[in-house]
Amino acid sequence: MKHLISAKTLSKQDILSVIDGALAMQAELRKGNCHQLDGKIMAALFFEPSTRTRLSFETAMLRLGGNVISTENAREFSSAVKGETLEDTIRVVAGYADVIVLRHNEIGAAARAASVSTVPVLSAGDGAGEHPSQALLDTFTIAKELGRTDDLTVGLVGDLMYGRTVHSLVYTLSQFAGIRFLCAAPAHTPLPDDLIQYAQSRGAQVEFEPSLAKVAGAADVLYQTRIQKERFHSLDEYEASKGLYVVDEAILARMQPTSIIMHPLPRAGEITPAVDRDPRAAYFRQTHYGVPVRMALLTAALVDEEA
Ligand code: ASP
């Protein structure tokens, strides 16, 4: 069964086939006749807030002719409030839907769900763990915008400790050749050691550069992130971490003309609105790539699996 739990399990070939699938979906969307998932049902179970991930998964399913059942605040509005375990909820929902998209606040929740599910589980984020579908759309964004996924200097900026999109992106990009990660993170939110070791074991370079201006000058991709306030154990540590790295017009002026700025969004002040006008600001285009990428993922989970 085609679960999507961790980007670490994705080979370069898997990633390239999602990119190809998403390109094909873009072409089909232009023609406007997608019926691959007619009659199928996707359940979106969200135990944490979401705008882009839930709505783009739902849009992807609807664009493919499928249907959606959804609980957007499952921590309050599902039987979790009554003490139902995640495993029991998944066992039940797997009887209603053909695929489950799950966002949960606990690391490892998606793997637990997959272990009891009779239908594919696609993780939409598990706490501070991973966000694999975001990494696939981020990798797709790089491929679309820069025309390559090899030989890249990628500036990882902000909350590299709790930012799950960064974790999954390190896994996907580390499959490619010539990758150099330049990390600029506050002292309380460095890139975790296991990710550094993983990237290095795949041949990627990992460097630490506290100057955002220097990272901006060197990067092909400047990947900015939000400080994940909800994950901090101490408010003092959060306060000490926020606002240290802000992409503004001065940082933009340091960037190469062919580079791009990405951000998984939402932003909370770490990219100033004045930057949005610059064509290198790719973050809203990035959100839109989420639909064809998730169409490719849903199709791979539901149709390609049956074939
Ligand atoms: N939307 C992304 C996530 O769910 C990034 C963020 O929340 O900062 O991980």
Side-chain angles (χ1 to χ4, degrees):
M1 199 183 307
K2 197 129 188 183
H3 300 297
L4 178 62
I5 304 304
S6 165
K8 196 175 179 178
T9 62
L10 300 172
S11 66
K12 178 175 172 178
Q13 197 43 51
D14 292 332
I15 298 163
L16 292 175
S17 85
V18 173
I19 291 176
D20 283 349
L23 288 170
M25 289 300 169
Q26 282 191 314
E28 294 216 29
L29 278 170
R30 279 192 290 274
K31 285 189 268 160
N33 58 347
C34 307
H35 294 285
Q36 288 91 328
L37 299 188
D38 277 355
K40 300 281 188 191
I41 295 179
M42 177 188 98
L45 281 182
F46 276 64
F47 290 76
E48 277 194 337
S50 171
T51 300
R52 280 149 291 275
T53 305
R54 186 171 66 84
L55 294 181
S56 66
F57 259 118
E58 293 191 1
T59 301
M61 191 63 184
L62 296 172
R63 292 274 188 220
L64 287 161
N67 299 293
V68 172
I69 55 173
S70 177
T71 170
E72 62 172 297
N73 190 355
R75 255 162 122 178
E76 270 182 56
F77 297 146
S78 78
S79 287
V81 179
K82 302 180 188 172
E84 184 167 67
T85 63
L86 174 65
E87 283 81 354
D88 279 0
T89 303
I90 295 294
R91 285 184 182 103
V92 172
V93 176
Y96 302 154
D98 302 292
V99 58
I100 295 173
V101 175
L102 173 72
R103 169 166 291 183
H104 201 276
N105 46 299
E106 288 167 20
I107 293 178
R112 280 167 48 209
S115 74
V116 297
S117 182
T118 51
V119 300
V121 173
L122 308 183
S123 172
D126 63 334
E130 276 205 61
H131 196 342
S133 71
Q134 177 76 42
L136 287 165
L137 85 85
D138 290 346
T139 309
F140 181 77
T141 301
I142 294 169
K144 281 288 283 193
E145 299 272 330
L146 298 183
R148 68 185 196 279
T149 44
D150 289 312
D151 301 318
L152 293 167
T153 296
V154 181
L156 298 174
V157 183
D159 190 340
L160 310 187
M161 167 86 116
Y162 301 117
R164 57 193 173 196
T165 71
V166 170
H167 303 165
S168 292
L169 186 62
V170 167
Y171 287 134
T172 58
L173 290 182
S174 295
Q175 305 308 314
F176 296 92
I179 301 296
R180 176 182 174 218
F181 294 112
L182 272 183
C183 304
H188 293 296
T189 61
L191 191 63
D193 285 343
D194 59 326
L195 281 152
I196 296 171
Q197 279 154 22
Y198 180 83
Q200 289 172 338
S201 76
R202 300 286 317 174
Q205 273 176 260
V206 184
E207 295 167 35
F208 307 94
E209 174 49 73
S211 158
L212 178 56
K214 285 192 185 154
V215 173
D220 300 302
V221 176
L222 190 62
Y223 193 91
Q224 173 66 300
T225 63
R226 177 178 69 91
I227 304 296
Q228 308 280 298
K229 184 177 184 182
E230 66 275 31
R231 311 275 181 227
F232 278 76
H233 305 295
S234 133
L235 195 60
D236 287 346
E237 287 188 7
Y238 167 69
E239 294 292 340
S241 305
K242 71 165 199 209
L244 292 183
Y245 290 115
V246 176
V247 176
D248 56 13
E249 283 169 300
I251 293 294
L252 196 55
R254 302 291 296 261
M255 291 183 64
Q256 306 167 50
T258 52
S259 57
I260 53 169
I261 305 168
M262 294 174 61
H263 192 307
L265 299 180
R267 61 179 155 183
E270 61 277 348
I271 300 178
T272 60
V275 173
D276 300 356
R277 288 190 293 270
D278 193 281
R280 289 168 291 181
Y283 30 92
F284 290 112
R285 297 192 294 277
Q286 182 185 350
T287 65
H288 296 153
Y289 295 136
V291 172
V293 169
R294 290 177 169 128
M295 287 172 76
L297 290 175
L298 288 165
T299 310
L302 289 171
V303 180
D304 302 354
E305 202 59 5
E306 282 170 9

